Amino acid sequence: MKRLTILAATATLLSMTALASAAETANIWVRADGSNFMPQIVEAFNKSHENQIKLDIIPNAEIVQKYATSAAGGTAPDGLSLDLIYTPAFAAAGQLEDITDWAKSLPYFKELSPAHVKTGTYKDKIYGLPFSADSSVLIWNKKLFKQAGLDPEKGPTNFAEIAADAEKVAALGGEIKGFYFSGACGGCNIFTFTPLIWASGGDILSADGSKATLDTPQMRDAIALYRGMVEKGLVPEGAKTDSGANFFAAFAGGNIGITPSGAFAIGALNTQYKDIDYGVTFLPGKDGGSSSFAGGDNFVVTKGTPKLAVLKEFLDYAYSLEGQTLLASRGSLPVRGDIAKEALKDLDPRYQIAAEAMAKGNTPYSVVFNDIINSANGPWAQMINEVFFGDDVDGALANAQETMQGIIDAGTGQ
């Protein structure tokens, strides 16, 4: 009997050893912007699963080039939380695993952020799935609204109301201004200015990213809104040269009535600027409606990784209610629409507005996004400063249209 007990114990020990040896570890990267939430979701996964995730946090300015180099050299991580706008470029370069079958097998696939899935798709194949999310919204200072005789509980819902509200706030005088935007920041304005165009029925690119569509009535209407506020002195002079340093800080100073911003501002204002009473609403079109830039990261898999099963398990956990709730608590909006309200229920209710904005948000699709939009020397960044503050709107639009189309054609082999 004792011999049988020993044999049984030995068998159990061998079985446990086999299970432990079968556990695998996958390496993933995330840009530094994800350091608020990725370490926490990885830690929670590792505590509750046999398979493990090893996380590396890469500086924002380095991650795209670092991944491109490592993928070309065969030293890339197994997976990557990648700014969603770059997914088409890496898919086109053949560096990502086709995860179409896996993605479409998920029972909640149709509930995943449409904008993320769109940018994760290349030539009808899926190479990236939503992981983290942020949305662009409009925020206003309730204290300044009240002082200006406006309803502090009602944000503007169209272009005319933005301009009128900003003018009344600016009339308070002193250092108070009605509106703020970072006029020399291409990334800031693709995030917050483009939704004004989308909400009005226009776009800056065709759906497949093959055509630039800058010179439209909707673009000109949105430009006129900003130019009009600049000309009336409703915008601080420093906005003209702000490359993004004051994108959030200007409003946080307490002297700005209205500013387009991101969902991230909710957490920052609540924790760092508790004295500011503010409202959150949607970015509107000229005559109403709304839109948003759906930002954040897609989760992509390096082509040929042997750790696909571990990455699937990790993403399944991130998509669970527990995972979505954890991510939301760390500032990332839920990417599953069917459980978004539940994941946000214990947080500031203004996050619900941001989540609604993201659900109907948009993201420009381009395999050359960085060259046409984010680059400081690219056509978008060059155009916005000129159309907002310069003397030749027609020339700036025409030049940007031609330059952007040329880059697109060169990048897509047209």
Side-chain angles (χ1 to χ4, degrees):
M1 189 68 178
K2 185 180 292 186
R3 176 183 172 84
L4 289 175
T5 302
I6 293 173
L7 287 173
T10 302
T12 300
L13 181 61
L14 288 172
S15 176
M16 292 175 63
T17 302
L19 284 172
S21 63
E24 294 184 287
T25 298
N27 178 218
I28 66 173
W29 289 0
V30 67
R31 54 179 168 150
D33 279 351
S35 59
N36 288 335
F37 57 81
M38 188 62 92
Q40 289 76 18
I41 193 79
V42 166
E43 180 182 10
F45 173 84
N46 286 344
K47 284 183 178 179
S48 57
H49 293 75
E50 290 284 343
N51 290 324
Q52 299 286 284
I53 295 292
K54 177 183 178 295
L55 174 66
D56 291 319
I57 298 174
I58 312 298
N60 291 339
E62 298 177 16
I63 191 166
V64 172
Q65 185 58 48
K66 188 177 179 71
Y67 184 69
T69 302
S70 63
T75 59
D78 300 296
L80 173 72
S81 182
L82 175 71
D83 189 332
L84 78 169
I85 60 175
Y86 295 117
T87 317
F90 281 107
Q95 295 171 323
L96 304 181
E97 189 74 26
D98 176 358
I99 55 174
T100 307
D101 292 341
W102 167 37
K104 291 187 175 180
S105 73
L106 296 172
Y108 43 79
F109 173 69
K110 292 184 178 180
E111 300 294 339
L112 296 176
S113 167
H116 284 68
V117 174
K118 174 188 170 185
T119 58
T121 302
Y122 177 71
K123 292 187 175 180
D124 298 323
K125 299 290 186 181
I126 298 172
Y127 294 90
L129 285 173
F131 191 82
S132 63
D134 192 15
S135 65
S136 49
V137 293
L138 195 67
I139 57 179
W140 75 94
N141 186 310
K142 291 185 176 183
K143 178 182 177 181
L144 295 182
F145 263 48
K146 187 174 183 180
Q147 289 176 355
L150 297 166
D151 182 350
E153 301 304 321
K154 183 181 183 297
T157 61
N158 55 48
F159 288 7
E161 290 181 3
I162 290 176
D165 291 354
E167 189 164 9
K168 287 184 178 180
V169 170
L172 294 172
E175 296 181 355
I176 296 173
K177 294 292 182 179
F179 194 84
Y180 192 86
F181 64 96
S182 297
C185 177
C188 306
N189 283 285
I190 197 69
F191 187 56
T192 58
F193 178 72
T194 314
L196 303 176
I197 301 166
W198 293 331
S200 301
D203 212 328
I204 65 167
L205 292 170
S206 60
D208 63 357
S210 65
K211 300 294 180 184
T213 58
L214 293 178
D215 194 352
T216 63
Q218 295 86 356
M219 168 70 85
R220 287 180 176 270
D221 286 339
I223 290 171
L225 170 65
Y226 274 35
R227 283 183 70 88
M229 290 190 289
V230 169
E231 290 167 359
K232 289 182 178 180
L234 311 184
V235 179
E237 291 184 6
K240 182 177 181 179
T241 56
D242 180 15
S243 59
N246 288 319
F247 178 63
F248 167 74
F251 184 84
N255 290 323
I256 300 296
I258 307 167
T259 192
S261 191
F264 70 87
I266 300 172
L269 288 167
N270 288 353
T271 57
Q272 301 172 47
Y273 303 92
K274 296 180 180 180
D275 58 325
I276 295 181
D277 188 13
Y278 68 98
V280 176
T281 190
F282 306 113
L283 285 161
K286 180 182 178 181
D287 300 314
S290 65
S291 189
S292 177
F293 188 107
D297 283 10
N298 271 335
F299 193 88
V300 300
V301 176
T302 300
K303 189 175 182 63
T305 176
K307 304 294 179 66
L308 183 58
V310 182
L311 299 178
K312 287 181 179 180
E313 190 178 10
F314 174 65
L315 206 57
D316 281 339
Y317 175 72
Y319 284 154
S320 69
L321 179 58
E322 180 181 343
Q324 290 290 282
T325 302
L326 175 56
L327 286 167
S329 73
R330 304 297 302 183
S332 174
L333 295 173
V335 295
R336 273 187 64 180
D338 57 329
I339 59 174
K341 287 186 178 181
E342 181 68 15
L344 292 167
K345 69 177 184 179
D346 294 327
L347 302 181
D348 187 313
R350 287 171 287 203
Y351 277 114
Q352 295 282 1
I353 298 171
E356 290 178 38
M358 196 205 69
K360 53 185 175 182
N362 197 0
T363 309
Y365 184 97
S366 176
V367 297
V368 288
F369 188 99
N370 189 64
D371 294 334
I372 63 174
I373 302 295
N374 275 355
S375 171
N377 298 315
W380 173 259
Q382 295 293 310
M383 179 198 77
I384 55 167
N385 196 260
E386 178 63 27
V387 297
F388 295 154
F389 300 99
D391 299 322
D392 187 7
V393 173
D394 291 342
L397 281 170
N399 182 61
Q401 170 71 30
E402 182 180 358
T403 305
M404 188 177 288
Q405 190 62 55
I407 295 172
I408 292 171
D409 290 345
T412 55
Q414 297 296 315

